[in-house]
Amino acid sequence: MGLGLKLLVCLLRCGVKVSDQIPRHMLVFLVHARAVYDMGWGSHLHGRIVRMEPSLDVFVGSSLIDMYAKCGHLNYARRVFESLTERNVVSWTSIIGGVAQFGFEEEALVLFNQMREVPVASDQFTLATVLGVCSSRNDIFLGQLLHAYTIKLGTESSVPVGNALVTMYAKCGNIQNANHAFALMPIRDMISWTAMITAFSQTGDVVKAREYFNKMPERNVITWNSMLATYIQHGFWEEGLKVYTLMLREGVKPDWITFATSISACADSTVLKLGNQIMAQAEKQGCGSNVSVANSVVTLYSRCGRIEEARKVFDSIVMKDLISWNAMMSGYAQNGQGRNAIEIFENMINMGCAPDHISYISVLSGCSHSGLVPEGEHYFNSMTKDHGIHPTSKHYVCMVDLLGRAGLLDQAKNLIDRMPLEPDAAIWGALLGACRIHGNTKLAEISANNLLDLDVEDSGSYILIANLYSDSGKLEGVADVRKLMREKGIRKNPGCSWIEVDNRVHVFTVDETNHPQIKDIYRTLEEIIKKIEETGSYVSASSFGFRGYHSEKLAVAFGLMSLPSWMPIHVMKNLRICRDCHLVIKMISNVTSRELIVRDANRFHHFKNGSCSCGDYW
């Protein structure tokens, strides 16, 4: 118990009356202090006050409303509000803010209208609170009415109202009005600037967000986190990590949000060494055990193929949340360990954590990558039956992929026909890919025609169709697809692979020529392929006069040149690995006795001793 509260309890026990001898401001201060530290003592103080003074003072009552709401006891806050014989703008604002905090936006608006009918004049904090409700509801019409009301009252230029207007317009997607409200503010604080950075981030204008960030007269960790998150959310991982480095140079102390966001950036760009350094800094500052930071570490290790290390971190999390479970399931699914993904799912259910739609995407994806058809069907059916989650297009993609890869093409097509949703390009693409694997040209053409009818802009779909025609010898079909791509201005995404060596990411494209060690890389690769050919189990295209290497082969060769023999070689690729590269890398792992890990657009492939973790099922 704090010293001030001890003194107050002693005074109350001695019969000192609240209204006569104890200043109201002391009670208000103490009630607010209990809201921060201990709701139990706050309610104890409330009881003492009621016994001495049956009718609550409006100022003390307002503080009690605020305390109960902040401590998660909205019903108590409501009862205190209803018991007040006198209500002022503070008590009304406290209860409006309390119900809004719990997501009861309609009730908050009803209370605001009641406040106006009493009438009690709104102040800047009331209006900022109600504008916050409009932000949560994305209700720009009501927000604009309130904006006009703030102009009428002359409060639109105040900092709380101005910040609320910027946030409201930004969340409703009206960046022009958000910028206008910001420009009209005579005084701006860090919240104002951060709100504008967030606004530009929501519209994808990263350049403008950085421009406002650079103009800020001062910054705190929240502002830095906002700029960092802006880069990461829009795929500018390198720029985001530069912001993190700059933040440290300027002496700003990172918090758990900084670490979680930065480690996520390392996960997205699969930069493990830098991720390890950031993790060490998080540990040093006491943030390593934070659940959000730990979740990011699980994702980092999973996406870098270190699934055993990801599991160790996952097991160390004391209070796992849904994101923790989903991160571990997704990691197992990406690494082709479907049964382990199922194990995590079942453990999550047994621990009383309800799954969401992401949980089911992870477990279904794990089943798909491992060919677990009965298990996948069970979980797909349990979504709605056991948890009331209706399948989205992504869940159907997982199921079509699962059934298709297993050769159950008719079942996959029947599932598509029964879908309550309109099949999208991803679903038809999954079926087309499975048809190509199993040589079902009739169903493949149905899938291809549906893909073309959707008029998609994704080059991957067209390449898949062109490959289908090429496999079946229909060269006219290949020419037609390529012509269609030219007419629509669709270009094939260039394949590239990258590998981290000596704290630097080396990127390779097909038939790379720009790398400073490219001649040595080609020589190394050709020597290895010659060794493979000598085993009699592989004939390369070069034996028939063809030259050219896909990017993953070049990255693997560079890894063999640059990394010590005991170190696994990790290569990342932006597209799905082709059959020839998969076969070659599998055989390289055998002739070099090296562990090779390749992450393509779909999953991880762990090559060791001439075999792959996918079991040639991908």
Side-chain angles (χ1 to χ4, degrees):
M1 194 194 308
L3 182 61
L5 189 55
K6 285 182 179 178
L7 176 61
L8 178 63
V9 171
C10 289
L11 290 172
L12 292 171
R13 283 176 176 167
C14 292
V16 177
K17 288 190 176 276
V18 171
S19 58
D20 298 335
Q21 293 150 298
I22 300 177
R24 287 193 186 105
H25 68 266
M26 179 181 178
L27 288 172
V28 171
F29 170 77
L30 288 170
V31 170
H32 274 296
R34 299 336 297 164
V36 176
Y37 297 110
D38 188 347
M39 187 265 177
W41 276 109
S43 58
H44 177 82
L45 178 57
H46 181 191
R48 287 275 182 179
I49 295 169
V50 169
R51 280 196 287 274
M52 299 297 296
E53 296 289 331
S55 179
L56 276 178
D57 176 275
V58 65
F59 296 101
V60 176
S62 299
S63 297
L64 286 168
I65 293 167
D66 187 60
M67 178 203 72
Y68 282 126
K70 285 180 178 176
C71 291
H73 293 274
L74 184 57
N75 287 335
Y76 291 163
R78 287 188 179 116
R79 284 165 63 181
V80 172
F81 178 76
E82 289 165 2
S83 71
L84 293 176
T85 55
E86 178 190 357
R87 296 167 184 163
N88 62 7
V89 64
V90 179
S91 52
W92 278 101
T93 303
S94 296
I95 192 63
I96 291 169
V99 298
Q101 174 188 326
F102 281 83
F104 298 111
E105 289 134 355
E106 288 292 340
E107 183 181 350
L109 295 175
V110 169
L111 286 166
F112 176 64
N113 287 330
Q114 289 175 355
M115 173 184 172
R116 294 177 62 201
E117 289 169 1
V118 170
V120 173
S122 304
D123 65 8
Q124 58 182 339
F125 301 106
T126 315
L127 294 168
T129 301
V130 182
L131 281 166
V133 173
C134 297
S135 296
S136 301
R137 290 159 50 98
N138 287 327
D139 191 341
I140 193 169
F141 177 72
L142 181 58
Q144 288 173 324
L145 291 178
L146 282 168
H147 189 178
Y149 187 53
T150 64
I151 295 172
K152 180 180 178 182
L153 296 178
T155 58
E156 82 282 3
S157 60
S158 73
V159 172
V161 173
N163 291 345
L165 284 168
V166 170
T167 303
M168 183 272 295
Y169 280 122
K171 286 194 174 180
C172 293
N174 193 325
I175 190 67
Q176 186 175 356
N177 280 0
N179 203 13
H180 182 67
F182 176 83
L184 291 178
M185 294 176 68
I187 301 174
R188 305 178 186 116
D189 59 11
M190 278 190 282
I191 297 174
S192 318
W193 287 95
T194 305
M196 278 309 303
I197 292 169
T198 304
F200 287 119
S201 175
Q202 288 169 345
T203 60
D205 195 340
V206 178
V207 174
K208 203 72 175 177
R210 184 58 185 263
E211 179 186 322
Y212 273 62
F213 177 80
N214 292 338
K215 287 179 181 178
M216 289 185 69
E218 59 177 328
R219 309 182 188 110
N220 62 9
V221 66
I222 297 172
T223 314
W224 282 94
N225 287 343
S226 180
M227 192 66 241
L228 176 61
T230 297
Y231 277 126
I232 304 309
Q233 287 167 4
H234 294 284
F236 297 97
W237 308 306
E238 186 176 349
E239 291 301 321
L241 292 170
K242 285 180 181 177
V243 167
Y244 171 77
T245 304
L246 182 62
M247 177 181 178
L248 296 182
R249 286 178 185 167
E250 295 200 6
V252 180
K253 184 179 179 181
D255 61 9
W256 67 267
I257 298 174
T258 317
F259 290 123
T261 307
S262 300
I263 294 170
S264 294
C266 293
D268 289 335
S269 54
T270 61
V271 182
L272 183 58
K273 287 186 179 178
L274 180 58
N276 282 328
Q277 292 172 15
I278 297 173
M279 285 156 50
Q281 291 166 348
E283 288 288 347
K284 186 177 179 180
Q285 295 202 14
C287 297
S289 59
N290 177 276
V291 65
S292 295
V293 175
N295 292 343
S296 296
V297 175
V298 171
T299 302
L300 170 65
Y301 280 137
S302 297
R303 290 187 180 177
C304 292
R306 305 288 184 89
I307 195 66
E308 293 82 7
E309 289 158 274
R311 181 60 186 264
K312 287 177 184 177
V313 175
F314 172 79
D315 289 339
S316 73
I317 301 174
V318 179
M319 299 295 290
K320 298 178 178 66
D321 59 14
L322 180 59
I323 297 172
S324 312
W325 295 101
N326 286 348
M328 194 66 246
M329 271 189 287
S330 176
Y332 275 132
Q334 285 178 329
N335 283 270
Q337 299 185 23
R339 297 222 174 261
N340 285 335
I342 290 173
E343 176 208 340
I344 295 295
F345 185 90
E346 292 298 333
N347 288 344
M348 177 181 71
I349 299 296
N350 293 335
M351 292 295 291
C353 182
D356 64 359
H357 70 285
I358 296 174
S359 311
Y360 275 102
I361 289 172
S362 296
V363 74
L364 290 173
S365 177
C367 292
S368 174
H369 288 318
S370 302
L372 304 175
V373 175
E375 292 84 351
E377 290 177 329
H378 163 74
Y379 288 112
F380 184 76
N381 293 330
S382 76
M383 284 179 61
T384 307
K385 179 182 175 184
D386 297 336
H387 298 284
I389 300 172
H390 295 286
T392 65
S393 177
K394 290 183 178 180
H395 298 106
Y396 279 104
V397 169
C398 291
M399 285 304 298
V400 170
D401 191 61
L402 169 65
L403 296 169
R405 289 184 189 279
L408 304 173
L409 298 172
D410 289 335
Q411 283 183 234
K413 178 62 168 59
N414 290 337
L415 179 65
I416 294 174
D417 293 339
R418 298 196 311 269
M419 278 177 58
L421 311 169
E422 195 67 32
D424 60 15
I427 289 172
W428 288 117
L431 183 60
L432 178 58
C435 290
R436 189 184 176 205
I437 292 171
H438 296 285
N440 189 323
T441 54
K442 182 179 178 182
L443 200 51
E445 288 199 0
I446 294 174
S447 306
N449 290 332
N450 278 284
L451 267 175
L452 293 174
D453 287 344
L454 288 171
D455 198 28
V456 293
E457 299 295 323
D458 173 38
S459 64
S461 299
Y462 289 93
I463 299 302
L464 199 57
I465 296 169
N467 289 338
L468 164 69
Y469 287 133
S470 178
D471 291 345
S472 57
K474 297 181 179 179
L475 300 183
E476 289 183 4
V478 176
D480 289 341
V481 171
R482 288 178 177 172
K483 180 183 176 183
L484 189 59
M485 290 178 69
R486 285 194 300 271
E487 290 173 351
K488 293 186 174 184
I490 299 171
R491 293 185 177 181
K492 178 184 176 181
N493 294 327
C496 70
S497 299
W498 59 98
I499 181 172
E500 185 181 359
V501 174
D502 295 331
N503 293 321
R504 182 187 161 196
V505 176
H506 297 257
V507 181
F508 296 89
T509 58
V510 62
D511 297 333
E512 178 69 41
T513 58
N514 295 324
H515 194 278
Q517 294 173 264
I518 194 62
K519 289 183 180 179
D520 293 332
I521 294 170
Y522 275 115
R523 184 165 51 250
T524 300
L525 183 55
E526 286 168 359
E527 288 173 357
I528 295 170
I529 289 181
K530 188 176 180 180
K531 285 184 180 180
I532 294 173
E533 289 178 325
E534 287 173 355
T535 65
S537 53
Y538 177 73
V539 178
S540 69
S542 60
S543 301
F544 298 97
F546 297 104
R547 296 297 297 269
Y549 294 112
H550 283 178
S551 59
E552 56 266 52
K553 290 177 185 172
L554 297 172
V556 166
F558 180 65
L560 291 169
M561 288 170 43
S562 309
L563 298 174
S565 59
W566 54 267
M567 183 181 290
I569 296 172
H570 292 257
V571 172
M572 311 297 160
K573 181 176 172 64
N574 67 331
L575 302 177
R576 184 176 182 268
I577 189 172
C578 73
R579 291 180 179 276
D580 182 67
C581 287
H582 189 272
L583 175 60
V584 168
I585 296 172
K586 187 167 63 170
M587 298 177 74
I588 289 175
S589 73
N590 189 39
V591 298
T592 62
S593 299
R594 295 290 293 268
E595 182 180 356
L596 310 171
I597 301 168
V598 177
R599 191 190 86 178
D600 69 4
N602 292 342
R603 60 174 296 161
F604 276 93
H605 299 267
H606 296 255
F607 301 94
K608 195 172 183 180
N609 299 325
S611 63
C612 179
S613 59
C614 73
D616 299 334
Y617 187 91
W618 87 98

